[in-house]
């Protein structure tokens, strides 16, 4: 008689689940960092020479409005790099003073990035109205999550604070997923490069909102 395989213990399942999420998170952060560096490498020569890439409408927006773009990208990169350390229970429990001070910096960075995503996304969306609406909707959601996270910690509701921060971080990570979906849509011929932006924004951000809720509702959260 064949003995049926036994299910792995809950702790093992939890660690495996966490490892997968951590790997995905790292990949998405690296994608965002890569595109941020490429953006800088491509735009800097034009900014130094005072020229505009007339043959590239996508890059043209960044060169024509550099400070607006930087005000969105730079704090966004800082938030993405720093937020995982804020969510790490080991760091939070052993260096709470650092968690509080660095958290204030990241709160400001996240808010600035989301605000300027709206400021840049409404008038200069490469993917048209669909992208603009997505930028506004999910940037406002991220702002709301950050504000509610701050309110929760001021009221000493630690678990609620962590949940709202997870939601905000999921939206920030969505920027990396957008790049993946753009590549999928455009490389498979489903849409052209420009036409892929609006669907990619919606698919990426909606999936990240859902993913964050599933994680919050199915994963035990550490206390404190």
């Amino acid at each position: 008689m064949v003995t049926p395989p036994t299910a792995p213990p809950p702790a093992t399942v939890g660690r495996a689940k966490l490892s997968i999420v951590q790997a995905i998170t790292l990949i998405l952060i690296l994608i965002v960092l890569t595109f941020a560096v490429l953006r800088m490498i491509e735009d800097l020569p034009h900014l130094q020479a005072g020229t505009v890439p007339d043959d590239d409408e996508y890059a043209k927006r960044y060169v024509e409005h550099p400070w607006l773009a930087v005000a969105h990208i730079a704090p966004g990169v800082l938030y993405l790099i720093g937020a995982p350390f804020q969510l790490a229970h080991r760091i939070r429990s052993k260096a709470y003073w650092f968690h509080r001070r660095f958290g204030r910096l990241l709160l400001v960075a996240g808010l600035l990035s989301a605000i300027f995503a709206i400021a840049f996304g409404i008038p200069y969306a490469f993917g048209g109205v669909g992208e603009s609406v997505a930028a506004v909707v999910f940037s406002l959601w991220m702002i709301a999550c950050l504000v509610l996270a701050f309110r929760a910690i001021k009221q000493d509701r630690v678990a609620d604070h962590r949940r709202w921060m997870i939601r905000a971080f999921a939206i920030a990570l969505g920027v990396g997923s957008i790049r993946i979906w753009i590549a999928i849509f455009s490389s498979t011929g489903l849409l052209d490069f420009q036409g892929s932006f609006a669907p990619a924004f919606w698919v990426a951000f909606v999936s990240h909102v859902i993913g964050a809720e599933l994680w919050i509702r199915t994963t035990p959260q550490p206390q404190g």
Side-chain angles (χ1 to χ4, degrees):
M1 183 176 65
V2 178
T3 303
T6 58
T12 303
V13 174
R15 285 195 295 269
K17 179 181 175 183
L18 178 61
S19 297
I20 292 172
V21 170
Q22 288 174 333
I24 293 172
T25 298
L26 177 60
I27 290 170
L28 293 178
I29 290 175
L30 290 175
I31 289 173
V32 174
L33 290 178
T34 299
F35 275 91
V37 171
L38 291 175
R39 182 81 275 134
M40 182 177 62
I41 292 173
E42 185 174 347
D43 293 348
L44 194 56
H46 288 289
L47 294 172
Q48 291 175 331
T51 58
V52 176
D54 293 327
D55 59 338
D56 188 346
E57 290 298 322
Y58 178 74
K60 183 178 180 181
R61 304 167 305 140
Y62 293 98
V63 175
E64 289 183 332
H65 311 283
W67 294 113
L68 195 59
V70 169
H72 163 55
I73 296 173
V77 168
L78 173 61
Y79 178 81
L80 268 179
I81 294 174
F85 296 98
Q86 290 297 98
L87 292 170
H89 178 66
R90 181 178 300 178
I91 295 176
R92 186 173 68 253
S93 60
K94 292 185 177 181
Y96 186 64
W97 61 270
F98 172 80
H99 176 80
R100 289 189 62 183
R101 287 165 175 75
F102 193 44
R104 291 167 186 162
L105 174 63
L106 292 183
L107 173 66
V108 174
L111 289 172
L112 285 175
S113 182
I115 290 169
F116 282 101
I118 296 174
F120 191 81
I122 291 178
Y124 309 119
F126 185 64
V129 176
E131 179 188 332
S132 291
V133 174
V136 171
V137 168
F138 295 104
S139 293
L140 288 176
W141 175 240
M142 181 174 172
I143 292 170
C145 291
L146 290 170
V147 171
L148 290 169
F150 180 73
R151 179 184 177 186
I153 200 61
K154 294 296 286 186
Q155 296 175 348
D156 203 27
R157 294 184 286 113
V158 177
D160 287 339
H161 168 74
R162 181 177 175 81
R163 293 185 187 104
W164 285 115
M165 289 305 296
I166 289 172
R167 293 180 177 112
F169 183 54
I171 290 296
L173 277 178
V175 177
S177 290
I178 287 171
R179 300 298 177 181
I180 295 174
W181 284 107
I182 289 173
I184 292 173
F185 289 143
S186 58
S187 65
T188 57
L190 294 173
L191 296 164
D192 61 23
F193 180 64
Q194 187 170 5
S196 65
F197 271 67
F201 267 64
W202 283 98
V203 172
F205 283 134
V206 169
S207 64
H208 276 243
V209 169
I210 294 172
E213 291 303 314
L214 290 174
W215 175 265
I216 289 169
R217 295 173 188 276
T218 61
T219 306
Q221 300 299 314
Q223 299 300 311

